[in-house]
Structure formats: C-alpha cells, structure tokens
Amino acid sequence: MPRAGLNPDAVVDHALALIDEQGPEALTLAGVAQLAGVAAPSLYKHVPGGLGGLRRLVAVRVTEELAERLSSATEGLAGEPAVQALLRAYHGYALEHPQRYAALPQSPMAADEQLAGAATALVGAIFKVVEGYGIEDSEAVHAVRTVRALAHGFAALSIGGAFQLSEQLSVTQDRLIAVLTAGLRDWPTGGM
C-alpha cells in the first residue's frame, strides 16, 4: 500500500530537492527514498519506470516551471519589453535554480506526450514574443531558435562561471538584449 502523503508530485519534489543540493548527476532512487523516508523499492509504486521514469518526471516539472516563468513574465507585453522580460526571466530561473536548469532537457523526446507538451509550452512562450515582431511561418522558427540559443547560451555560461571579468553581467545582458531586439526588428517577417 502506498505511503500516506507520498505521490508522484511529492516524489518529484524530493528529487528536485536532491538535485538542487547535489546536482542532476546525484539523482538516484536511493537518494530520493532517503529524503522521502521510504525504502527505494517503495518509489516504484509512485513512479513507474524507476529511475528513468523519475528523470522524465523531473524533466517535465523543470520544463513546466521555466515555461510558466517565461509566460508570466511576458504576459501583456510585446516587442522589446517582451524580449527583455523573457530573457531576464530565463536567466533569472537559471541563476535561481542552476542544478534544475542543468536537468532541463534540450531535446525532449517527441514520443513522450507529457514532456512534449511541456516543451511546446516553453517554446510557445518564445513564439509569442517573436509574433510581436510580425515574424511568421518558417522565419518565426528561425527567430525562435535564435532567441532560445541566446537565452540558453547566456544562462549556461552564467551558471557555469564563465564570466569572470569585473564588468557587470547586467550590462552585458542589456547589450545582448539590444543586439537581439535590433535583429528581430530587421528580421524577415515571412509569409507569402
């Protein structure tokens, strides 16, 4: 019989606590079970697929968290303010949760409906920002890829400690946003 209070969401909460403390490579059923106060085999009642299933649920949760952060930050905004809000929210999430961000799948499996749905919401938040520039069709895909690459690159380099020089990182981010918004203003809009 499943332990009272333990369910898939609670197991993922414990997994994220472990990841936040020790990094995604530390995720094991034994570690999560210890945090949950149960024996590792008990987790199979709550997480089908064992460690692989748990990693999938973690990937879904992290993707959903970032998608929600981006959607909330950009709601009601368009153009440059939307780009600023999106990039700052993306970077902010990575800085607040560097270990979770490291667990974010960059290529979600299309066969996994739940993960694909979360990834669609994440990319959808970026598409919404790009639409504010009138960019459509295949050009929108190229623009979204550009925004995503810039957001991920800046976040990954920041949390990886790559920016060691004394100049303020916020000024670099401002410059990056200015370059991106200028590029989006001049982007081919697509359509036929």
Side-chain angles (χ1 to χ4, degrees), residues 66 69 87-102 154-161 163 169-170 173:
L66 182 56
R69 177 79 64 101
L87 292 180
R88 292 186 197 292
Y90 196 105
H91 191 242
Y93 181 86
L95 291 179
E96 289 170 34
H97 305 290
Q99 301 292 7
R100 287 182 193 200
Y101 186 77
F154 190 66
L157 290 168
S158 294
I159 63 178
F163 301 127
L169 196 54
S170 62
Q173 187 177 39

Side-chain angles (χ1 to χ4, degrees), residues 89-153:
Y90 196 105
H91 191 242
Y93 181 86
L95 291 179
E96 289 170 34
H97 305 290
Q99 301 292 7
R100 287 182 193 200
Y101 186 77
L104 180 72
Q106 296 304 316
S107 178
M109 300 180 315
D112 185 319
E113 196 172 307
Q114 190 178 14
L115 186 52
T120 298
L122 175 61
V123 174
I126 303 172
F127 267 103
K128 186 175 177 185
V129 168
V130 167
E131 286 171 5
Y133 285 85
I135 303 170
E136 300 173 334
D137 302 324
S138 64
E139 287 302 330
V141 173
H142 297 305
V144 166
R145 287 176 179 165
T146 300
V147 172
R148 186 173 174 216
L150 186 143
H152 173 66

Side-chain angles (χ1 to χ4, degrees), residues 12 14 38 59-60 66-67 72 77 86 91 96-97 99 101 111 138 142 144-145 160 172 174 180 187 190 192:
V12 173
H14 290 300
V38 298
V60 169
L66 182 56
S72 293
L77 300 176
L86 181 104
H91 191 242
E96 289 170 34
H97 305 290
Q99 301 292 7
Y101 186 77
S138 64
H142 297 305
V144 166
R145 287 176 179 165
T172 303
D174 291 343
L180 179 61
W187 202 277
M192 293 289 184

Side-chain angles (χ1 to χ4, degrees), residues 12-107:
V12 173
D13 290 341
H14 290 300
L16 288 174
L18 183 63
I19 288 170
D20 287 342
E21 185 180 317
Q22 299 178 29
E25 63 284 343
L27 182 62
T28 64
L29 290 177
V32 172
Q34 183 178 8
L35 286 176
V38 298
S42 299
L43 295 180
Y44 286 93
K45 297 173 188 169
H46 306 287
V47 181
L51 185 57
L54 182 57
R55 287 186 194 284
R56 186 189 68 74
L57 290 175
V58 165
V60 169
R61 173 82 68 84
V62 172
T63 304
E64 289 174 342
E65 284 179 355
L66 182 56
E68 176 57 35
R69 177 79 64 101
L70 299 182
S71 293
S72 293
T74 59
E75 188 162 341
L77 300 176
E80 191 168 329
V83 172
Q84 289 175 356
L86 181 104
L87 292 180
R88 292 186 197 292
Y90 196 105
H91 191 242
Y93 181 86
L95 291 179
E96 289 170 34
H97 305 290
Q99 301 292 7
R100 287 182 193 200
Y101 186 77
L104 180 72
Q106 296 304 316
S107 178

